[in-house]
Amino acid sequence: MRSLFQALSGLTLALALFAAPAQALTVFDTLGAKNSYTPGLGWFFGDPGDNTNWTTAQPFIPTGSGTLHSVTLPLSYANEIYFGVRVQLLANDAGRPGALLAESSVLPSQLDGLSVVAFGDSYQLNEGELYWLALSADSDDPSNTAAWAGNTLGLGGTRAFSGASWLTAGQWWVYQVDEGMGAMRVEVSAVPEPGMAGLLCAGLAALAARRRQALRAKR
């Protein structure tokens, strides 16, 4: 009986490990299967030369839930000078970028290409909820100028920017564009389904009960 219990316990553990997500789940993607974007054309962020640091932002709605794993972005450097890019996940505040939810950064290794920004499963994204993704230079320097390249799907929508000299601190300028929204891919680490987790727990409980009954029968 003991060997049977150990075997069943091992099988249950194996099922639990198998049920856990093996890879990240894509919940928003305007890059597409071919990672398409508009090289050299996109939405400016950084310092335009007046010692300010513009932040560009756009909303997205995930098609699934899970902890934020990574965001893939096409970035282009205007002055051929590398600098760190700050990437922030923001809440939605009545159609505008709101409170900071999570933050990461990346130092791209090429002047024009895709960069994967790791968030380390730092925040839970909910399916169907609107969030904002914001990009800015990680330091104020006149040479820190870059662009978030647009998508090739003809997708437009709402965009916002802050940090310009004519805007007050924390103020966002929100506007609409017909096409060229920044391309990106958002991936999450999916949580196990409650039904599967409950089934596994029930199975372990049943095994434990059977084990106790067997021990009593031997006494």
Side-chain angles (χ1 to χ4, degrees), residues 30-31 69 157 163 165 181:
T30 54
L31 283 167
H69 179 72
S165 57
M181 291 285 282

Side-chain angles (χ1 to χ4, degrees), residues 144-213:
N144 289 352
T145 305
W148 179 357
N151 71 85
T152 60
L153 305 176
L155 300 176
T158 305
R159 292 200 57 84
F161 67 86
S162 67
S165 57
W166 66 87
L167 296 174
T168 60
Q171 181 182 6
W172 289 93
W173 184 278
V174 180
Y175 57 103
Q176 298 290 320
V177 297
D178 294 331
E179 59 182 357
M181 291 285 282
M184 63 174 172
R185 178 179 297 119
V186 179
E187 295 181 311
V188 301
S189 295
V191 296
E193 296 182 5
M196 176 62 75
L199 182 61
L200 292 172
C201 290
L204 283 174
L207 287 171
R210 188 170 182 180
R211 173 64 175 166
R212 286 194 297 269
Q213 291 174 356

Side-chain angles (χ1 to χ4, degrees), residues 3-216:
S3 60
L4 175 60
F5 176 76
Q6 290 175 334
L8 290 175
S9 297
L11 177 61
T12 304
L13 178 59
L15 286 173
L17 292 175
F18 180 77
Q23 59 184 2
L25 172 68
T26 299
V27 295
F28 187 87
D29 188 5
T30 54
L31 283 167
K34 296 183 178 180
N35 289 328
S36 299
Y37 59 94
T38 56
L41 297 174
W43 303 98
F44 165 85
F45 65 92
D47 191 334
D50 58 358
N51 294 316
T52 59
N53 189 356
W54 287 36
T55 299
T56 185
Q58 70 179 48
F60 72 96
I61 299 177
T63 58
S65 300
T67 53
L68 180 58
H69 179 72
S70 65
V71 178
T72 303
L73 300 164
L75 304 176
S76 301
Y77 283 94
N79 297 325
E80 298 187 356
I81 296 176
Y82 293 105
F83 61 88
V85 176
R86 183 185 300 113
V87 183
Q88 297 176 316
L89 176 71
L90 307 176
N92 181 54
D93 183 8
R96 294 175 175 271
L100 176 65
L101 302 176
E103 181 176 312
S104 187
S105 61
V106 65
L107 181 60
S109 59
Q110 51 190 337
L111 293 176
D112 192 337
L114 293 176
S115 294
V116 179
V117 187
F119 275 85
D121 302 324
S122 57
Y123 187 82
Q124 173 73 23
L125 294 182
N126 297 318
E127 179 181 354
E129 188 171 339
L130 191 148
Y131 301 91
W132 290 78
L133 197 71
L135 275 61
S136 61
D138 65 358
S139 62
D140 297 338
D141 188 302
S143 62
N144 289 352
T145 305
W148 179 357
N151 71 85
T152 60
L153 305 176
L155 300 176
T158 305
R159 292 200 57 84
F161 67 86
S162 67
S165 57
W166 66 87
L167 296 174
T168 60
Q171 181 182 6
W172 289 93
W173 184 278
V174 180
Y175 57 103
Q176 298 290 320
V177 297
D178 294 331
E179 59 182 357
M181 291 285 282
M184 63 174 172
R185 178 179 297 119
V186 179
E187 295 181 311
V188 301
S189 295
V191 296
E193 296 182 5
M196 176 62 75
L199 182 61
L200 292 172
C201 290
L204 283 174
L207 287 171
R210 188 170 182 180
R211 173 64 175 166
R212 286 194 297 269
Q213 291 174 356
L215 290 176
R216 292 196 201 101

